[in-house]
Amino acid sequence: MTDHLLETFEGGVATLTFNRPEARNALTGEMQAALSEALPRLAADPKVRAVVVTGAGGAFCAGGDVKGFAAAGRKSEGGGGGGFNQEQRAQGLRAGMEVCRWLHEMPKPTLAVIPGPAAGAGLSIALACDLRIAAEGAKLTTAFSKVGLAGDYGGSYFLTHLVGAAKTRELYFTADVITGAEALALGIVNKAVPADRLEAVAGDYARYLAGLPTVAIGYMKRNLNIAQHSTLSELLDAEAPHMVRTMMTEDHKAASIAFVEKVRPVFHGR
């Protein structure tokens, strides 16, 4: 772990916090490497039942380090190339972008808590999570067109599935800045709350997610992800074994008894 990405764990909830508040938590190689290491580990840890991604200092993540891009551009103009060709740079970027696949596919719920600016790759990382809570006044933008870039970290995929093709094209082409409240109206975030209530609301929601039947949620995520890009027949083929597998869990058996006894079930993620 690094000071650029803080990790805490409490009550089944693992929280990863981008920690470069002086730069609105813009991504660094160090931060990227730490995130790439943490997510597979948390996905495999049975004690972790929900993962939260957020940012320190009133920002979520401003995306790539534009100042670093500018420095690299000046170096390139001066004849330096950093020792990497185009293909090598693309491969390195693609490897880093796996963090969004982990957030989207890991077999437990992921939640982005957006206190302030989420831009470019930072917005894409938030979109990769299952759910999002934002401060009403938080500023969200795809940003890429304003710096002459095509976009990365899967944002075009996630946003298209959230708001449709036409609105996604608008938000990418124009790089318009929208607030958390506007993002809620568009269906980009699930909740938008006053900034002074964000921490409390997000904490309650994360604990709720951690109290769900973890195994069932993992298979539910598989079903929902398959549903985004498959035929009905293919989805039904996946749902059947997933349903049978979850029928065998301790959580299901305990919940069935709780239903008969008319009491609230307590899930243990097994």
Side-chain angles (χ1 to χ4, degrees):
M1 199 49 61
T2 168
D3 289 342
H4 286 185
L5 185 74
L6 307 180
E7 181 178 331
T8 58
F9 178 76
E10 183 178 359
V13 178
T15 300
L16 299 173
T17 303
F18 298 124
N19 189 42
R20 292 184 68 217
E22 74 285 356
R24 296 192 302 173
N25 302 319
L27 292 171
T28 63
E30 189 177 337
M31 187 186 292
Q32 170 63 66
L35 194 60
S36 295
E37 182 280 327
L39 291 175
R41 172 171 48 80
L42 297 176
D45 188 341
K47 298 188 299 298
V48 176
R49 298 179 63 188
V51 175
V52 171
V53 182
T54 190
F60 181 76
C61 174
D65 188 346
V66 177
K67 291 182 179 178
F69 296 160
R74 287 191 293 269
K75 185 175 182 180
S76 177
E77 289 173 2
F84 297 99
N85 62 33
Q86 182 172 321
E87 182 61 27
Q88 290 169 325
R89 291 177 66 185
Q91 290 175 355
L93 177 58
R94 175 62 183 86
M97 288 159 60
E98 277 291 288
V99 299
C100 287
R101 187 181 65 80
W102 278 107
L103 288 168
H104 185 60
E105 295 183 1
M106 74 164 63
K108 51 196 67 175
T110 56
L111 172 67
V113 179
I114 307 170
L123 177 61
S124 297
I125 290 170
L127 295 174
C129 293
D130 297 311
L131 302 162
R132 286 155 293 284
I133 298 178
E136 290 174 336
K139 303 294 179 64
L140 288 68
T141 176
T142 60
F144 295 111
S145 70
K146 290 187 176 179
V147 289
L149 294 174
D152 58 8
Y153 281 74
S156 53
Y157 174 90
F158 300 119
L159 197 56
T160 296
H161 281 89
L162 286 169
V163 302
K167 191 64 179 179
T168 296
R169 281 164 168 74
E170 177 187 329
L171 292 171
Y172 263 78
F173 294 171
T174 65
D176 284 344
V177 177
I178 61 174
T179 65
E182 291 169 329
L184 175 64
L186 288 170
I188 295 173
V189 304
N190 302 88
K191 298 176 184 290
V193 300
D196 60 357
R197 292 186 54 223
L198 180 63
E199 184 176 354
V201 171
D204 287 345
Y205 200 39
R207 286 186 288 273
Y208 165 77
L209 293 173
L212 294 174
T214 313
V215 176
I217 294 298
Y219 282 105
M220 192 178 293
K221 282 186 64 168
R222 288 192 192 183
N223 292 343
L224 294 168
N225 290 342
I226 290 169
Q228 288 186 320
H229 55 75
S230 71
T231 65
L232 175 59
S233 180
E234 289 168 335
L235 175 61
L236 296 177
D237 288 344
E239 282 186 337
H242 293 169
M243 189 68 168
V244 171
R245 169 66 182 89
T246 55
M247 286 177 177
M248 300 169 64
T249 61
E250 293 179 23
D251 281 342
H252 167 67
K253 294 171 184 176
S256 297
I257 294 171
F259 179 83
V260 172
E261 296 178 349
K262 294 182 170 56
V263 297
R264 185 173 181 175
V266 177
F267 297 115
H268 297 283
R270 299 188 294 270

